[in-house]
Amino acid sequence: MPADPATDEPRAARIPLSVYILGLSVFALGTSEFMLSGILQPLARDLGVSIPKAGLLVSAFAVGMVVGAPVLAAATLKLPRRTTLLALLAVFMLGQIAGALAPTYEVLFASRVVSALACAGFWAVGAAVAVSLVPHNARARAMAIMVGGLSVANIAGVPAGAFLGQQAGWRSAFWAVAGLAAIGLVGVLTVVPRTAVPTGDDAPNLRRELGIYRDKQVWLALVTIALNAGAVFALFSYLAPLLTDVAGLPESWVPTVLGLFGLGGLIGTIIGGRVADAHLFGTMYGGIAASTVVLGLLALLAEYRVAAVALALMLGVTAFTTAPALNARMFNVANAAPTLAGATTTASFNIGNTVGPWVGGLVISAGWGYAAVAWVAAAMAAGGVAVTAVASRVHVRSRVIAKSVPSVAAPSPASAPAPTPAPGESSPLPAAEPR
């Protein structure tokens, strides 16, 4: 690829096949995580539980992701990454089989937690592998491919799971995901390169990686991701009953609308992947603010079928436009700890995915109705915009400080040391991280 003389980096780095294989594996993981939104009603009827209690299965998966991401990232820090990915995919597949065979709600709940632990570990390690295989100026593109696995899961996996749930019972959806995990297992085994564990000064060091949590920019990135995810999945977890009970759509329409949400997610991922590397904060501002507007409109217009369907599509676009930028931002501010950066991103996303459905369930249980969930989700998204504004100010201030450091001692140009990076930044140069 031709090099840019100003940066000596490729203008358009080629993304290796192994990153696409990781995205394919994420397709299986994402289908499992989100498919309950399409089979919530038949599952609740079969197991004899309420819709809010069935919705807690979404939160159970998210809780497993929150706990599993940092714990498994730390536990596997010194293990070969490909071996770790294979082991985690195998455990995930067994968790899906256990869910398909679950005789009670409690067993299904436990299987969701186990699957989530494996899913979290795969996300954390897989994201670190994907970022390590591309140059700095292609991180958002690599993460867009990983996130694209989630988008395709929502386009194809979730609607297919809903269709299977309606035609062959909800358990068939779990069997299908187990098959997808097996395909991902073969792909990782044959395509993802085997990497040796670094030694010497480059050897993984848990204490050094934990040092990223002293940086307030890491915490601001975490809160932004959590609020954005909470806003989207507070609504998405109860989208099926909102469509049927509020908009008046027949249950057979649910897979189609979920597919439209996924199509919007794919469109958003493509947009975000193309613009986030150059306009990181602009992508975050625009995407989260747009989600706030869409959720507010959905709260107002949920009873109108055409509006509900169109806004479900738009929510997919706005939600996933921000995803590559949010992921790249975390890797930028936690550059010294790539494995824990991936784990933190996964955990923060699923903190939102835990709190969102839980808050949505409280709103429904209080008798406020499904449309009220959209208002709560809009408020969470607005909070995400506010935190993004704070993170942007801190980012600009840290870069100003970094640029001023070399001028304190006023060294000669020939002997001047390289500027010291500000906390959370891999480089103080203006091109290091787009705003």
Side-chain angles (χ1 to χ4, degrees), residues 118-138:
C119 181
F122 186 94
W123 251 110
V125 178
V129 170
V131 168
S132 71
L133 294 173
V134 299
H136 187 281
N137 66 343

Side-chain angles (χ1 to χ4, degrees), residues 168-200:
W170 61 268
R171 297 177 189 274
S172 63
F174 282 82
W175 285 113
V177 173
L180 292 173
I183 294 172
L185 198 66
V186 173
V188 172
L189 180 64
T190 56
V191 177
V192 174
R194 187 192 304 271
T195 56
V197 180
T199 57

Side-chain angles (χ1 to χ4, degrees), residues 224-242:
T224 305
I225 294 171
L227 285 171
N228 183 65
V232 174
F233 291 102
L235 187 283
F236 183 77
S237 299
Y238 301 101
L239 183 58
L242 181 142

